[in-house]
Amino acid sequence: MILEHLGWNTHFQTEFDALNNKDFTPARVIREEKGRYLLATEAGEISAEISGNFRYNTANLKDYPSVGDWVSIKPINNNTHSIIYHVLHRTSCFTRKAPVSGGRKVRDIQNRKVVLGGSTEEQVIAANVDTVFIVMSCDDNFNLRRLERYLLLTYNSGASPVIVLNKIDLCEDYHELFLEIEAIAMGADIHPISALDKSNIESLNSYIRIGKTIGLFGSSGVGKSTIINRLLGNEQLPTSSVRESDSKGRHTTTWRELVVLPKGGILIDTPGMRELQLWTDSEHLEFQFSDIEDLMSQCKFNDCSHSSEPGCAIQESIANGTLDIDRYENYLLLQYETAYLEDRRREKEVKLLHRSYYGKQHKLMRNGIGLNK
Ligand code: GDP
Ligand code: ZN
């Protein structure tokens, strides 16, 4: 496999050259499970694990290799296995809150190290994705607020969103839905399709180019597996519904979370991507809801709470119909969640700093250089 067909480009080449070690080989992560990796290299696929040094020096879960990552490896055991030494800087990444439970020391979910509980930690679920198909369907599942979340996540990740409005065959006039999407899409392309109709998928093909990585979002039942199987053509991948219902499927050697499509282009499809939750920061929230932020700056009082004050631009816009109250409420909810997550993130940083500071003191004491001496 030519590296460029796997997504290799000048960005990664520069990163890799900077390592300046002829023994390293570049490889891309196809899947990861409990610290065991399957990688794609120029010479084919190879299993891998992380070097002891990497583990020792890596405190944050976020810095561990994830599906889609480019890593540097050294093959061992006659090229039947390999050791991962670095993760090359990502061009984009999707993260989620790692489930770290409260107030005590717990093992992290990959059993690699003990972390302090009571805080959330970012975990990368897919890296180096170029384009995300955000799939919505025209049926009961149609939900603009959810679409706003997905757009936010995508902009936050560094990837570009493409909105796919699926199941238009179930809708008498999807045009109205199209316009509703357009109003919040921030310029993202929108493709109305019916995945049941083969010819419809053609409109998505222009995003699928050699070396470009595609990911998919969307709630269950909107048609992601159907779209993926269309993109795969004859080489059908076991769909995630099969994988989820039969976790044993995860251990088969054919299971891939990253596949090269027959026509070129790379597809990442992981349960994590499918279940993605919000993990973002206020900067991106402001970007996506800049209309609301603009309105807020027009309120008569600087400290307007936008509830009952005279001269409140928010209340006026809701009353005269130029601001959709659902959009405003969704903004408030996302703002709350973002603030909550940022607090938790800060809390964790403080704890880590605290730990490394006292850790250093301990060492100094052991060496008889206690700070009081
Ligand atoms: P996923 O959970 O997002 O992967 O959704 P699936 O691809 O499994 O699709 C859920 C159901 O919707 C299946 O029964 C599909 O056959 C059906 N479906 C997918 N796309 C379309 C479409 O464009 N039109 C119609 N009518 N049904 C569709
Ligand atoms: Zn106001």
Side-chain angles (χ1 to χ4, degrees):
M1 177 67 65
I2 300 167
L3 279 185
E4 280 75 13
H5 291 189
L6 287 167
W8 188 252
N9 58 33
T10 48
H11 163 85
F12 297 115
Q13 186 69 55
T14 309
E15 287 272 310
F16 186 73
D17 289 345
L19 299 175
N20 199 17
N21 186 328
K22 288 206 171 60
D23 296 333
F24 287 139
T25 304
R28 195 164 189 195
V29 178
I30 293 176
R31 71 164 189 242
E32 183 270 338
E33 193 177 39
K34 296 194 179 103
R36 298 180 155 272
Y37 292 83
L38 180 67
L39 311 176
T41 72
E42 208 153 28
E45 291 177 3
I46 191 163
S47 62
E49 62 196 270
I50 286 165
S51 79
N53 219 11
F54 184 103
R55 196 165 312 179
Y56 184 78
N57 289 313
T58 309
N60 292 317
L61 204 49
K62 193 175 182 237
D63 298 326
Y64 278 85
S66 181
V67 174
D69 262 323
W70 281 98
V71 294
S72 77
I73 59 165
K74 282 184 192 173
I76 55 168
N77 299 350
N78 275 331
N79 293 333
T80 57
H81 190 64
S82 62
I83 304 294
I84 298 174
Y85 288 87
H86 308 92
V87 175
L88 305 187
H89 278 119
R90 297 157 177 149
T91 55
S92 72
C93 75
F94 286 95
T95 60
R96 72 170 168 206
K97 292 173 284 177
V100 180
S101 57
R104 60 199 164 83
K105 285 188 174 181
V106 289
R107 297 198 78 80
D108 80 22
I109 45 167
Q110 280 157 314
N111 277 327
R112 293 202 181 99
K113 59 187 190 291
V114 171
V115 296
L116 288 162
S119 58
T120 50
E121 192 177 15
E122 258 183 309
Q123 179 192 20
V124 175
I125 54 169
N128 302 319
V129 174
D130 298 300
T131 306
V132 178
F133 292 153
I134 301 176
V135 187
M136 289 249 285
S137 56
C138 288
D139 50 14
D140 303 344
N141 216 291
F142 186 86
N143 184 330
L144 288 172
R145 308 285 81 89
R146 195 184 302 126
L147 178 60
E148 266 163 2
R149 277 170 171 259
Y150 284 135
L151 280 169
L152 191 59
L153 279 167
T154 308
Y155 284 122
N156 196 21
S157 77
S160 310
V162 171
I163 301 166
V164 179
L165 179 61
N166 190 30
K167 305 197 188 183
I168 53 172
D169 55 297
L170 296 182
C171 186
E172 278 193 0
D173 183 13
Y174 64 83
H175 219 80
E176 211 163 290
L177 301 181
F178 185 95
L179 293 178
E180 285 183 37
I181 292 177
E182 201 173 35
I184 62 158
M186 318 241 352
D189 293 350
I190 310 165
H191 290 276
I193 66 161
S194 167
L196 298 186
D197 181 348
K198 253 186 191 161
S199 61
N200 276 208
I201 293 290
E202 291 301 319
S203 71
L204 301 181
N205 275 340
S206 62
Y207 301 97
I208 297 167
R209 277 175 248 144
I210 288 175
K212 290 288 172 202
T213 305
I214 303 277
L216 273 94
F217 279 159
S219 49
S220 179
V222 295
K224 295 181 299 297
S225 308
T226 313
I227 293 171
I228 287 171
N229 282 330
R230 287 261 185 257
L231 297 176
L232 284 169
N234 294 328
E235 295 175 39
Q236 303 253 320
L237 158 120
T239 58
S240 86
S241 49
V242 174
R243 294 201 304 261
E244 277 155 20
S245 62
D246 175 20
S247 57
K248 283 195 196 105
R250 289 164 169 260
H251 301 285
T252 65
T253 50
T254 53
W255 171 54
R256 302 280 186 282
E257 292 193 331
L258 179 148
V259 285
V260 178
L261 296 168
K263 288 182 185 162
I266 303 126
L267 177 79
I268 289 184
D269 176 35
T270 74
M273 278 286 272
R274 288 179 169 231
E275 295 154 12
L276 202 57
Q277 286 176 17
L278 188 74
W279 176 282
T280 185
D281 55 48
S282 45
E283 195 184 312
H284 288 86
L285 195 68
E286 280 162 27
F287 170 68
Q288 187 161 4
F289 292 90
S290 51
D291 54 331
I292 293 179
E293 309 264 339
D294 283 350
L295 280 177
M296 286 177 166
S297 69
Q298 292 164 25
C299 293
K300 187 172 171 193
F301 299 109
N302 280 340
D303 59 348
C304 185
S305 72
H306 320 299
S307 47
S308 57
E309 289 90 339
C312 171
I314 295 285
Q315 287 303 322
E316 278 166 16
S317 303
I318 290 172
N320 70 23
T322 51
L323 174 61
D324 179 12
I325 187 154
D326 288 342
R327 178 169 163 80
Y328 179 59
E329 282 178 352
N330 199 38
Y331 166 80
L332 293 180
L333 177 70
L334 291 172
Q335 197 183 40
Y336 170 79
E337 286 182 13
T338 304
Y340 173 79
L341 288 172
E342 284 189 345
D343 278 355
R344 303 290 268 176
R345 205 161 9 175
R346 261 196 295 277
E347 209 174 280
K348 174 167 187 297
E349 274 161 21
V350 169
K351 276 181 178 165
L352 279 176
L353 284 173
H354 187 264
R355 189 169 55 159
S356 65
Y357 174 70
Y358 282 100
K360 274 200 193 93
Q361 267 205 345
H362 266 283
K363 263 188 207 148
L364 290 172
M365 304 265 211
R366 265 210 312 265
N367 296 337
I369 330 171
L371 296 181
N372 296 329
K373 285 192 179 174

